[in-house]
Amino acid sequence: MYDPVKICVVGCGRVAKSHLAGMLEIPSKVKIEAVVSRDQKKGEEFQRAYAAHKVYNTLEQALADPEIEGV
């Protein structure tokens, strides 16, 4: 059995919610590790709502994180 892939979701808008809903249906395969949002407050709201471990303000910050396996 494989560990879930650690995903970073970029953006916290309507489309992100659709992607996150799908990911939450397969927790054995995908783990929401982080979210990226230019709006810190919105990023923190998504972090809490989807149990993400991290919030980044730029894609570059997320890509520098060795824990992130997919975007």
Side-chain angles (χ1 to χ4, degrees):
M1 190 102 197
Y2 296 101
D3 291 332
V5 176
K6 296 177 183 174
I7 298 293
C8 176
V9 176
V10 180
C12 295
R14 184 177 53 209
V15 174
K17 290 178 183 179
S18 296
H19 290 300
L20 286 163
M23 288 182 222
L24 292 174
E25 292 182 12
I26 51 171
S28 65
K29 298 184 187 277
V30 177
K31 177 181 176 185
I32 302 164
E33 183 70 17
V35 297
V36 175
S37 178
R38 290 180 290 186
D39 181 329
Q40 185 69 29
K41 182 178 177 184
K42 188 178 255 189
E44 290 169 357
E45 289 170 1
F46 263 65
Q47 179 185 27
R48 286 188 298 277
Y50 296 99
H53 288 107
K54 304 167 189 171
V55 177
Y56 293 108
N57 296 107
T58 67
L59 177 59
E60 291 77 19
Q61 291 171 323
L63 294 176
D65 183 343
E67 293 289 316
I68 304 297
E69 299 173 319
V71 178

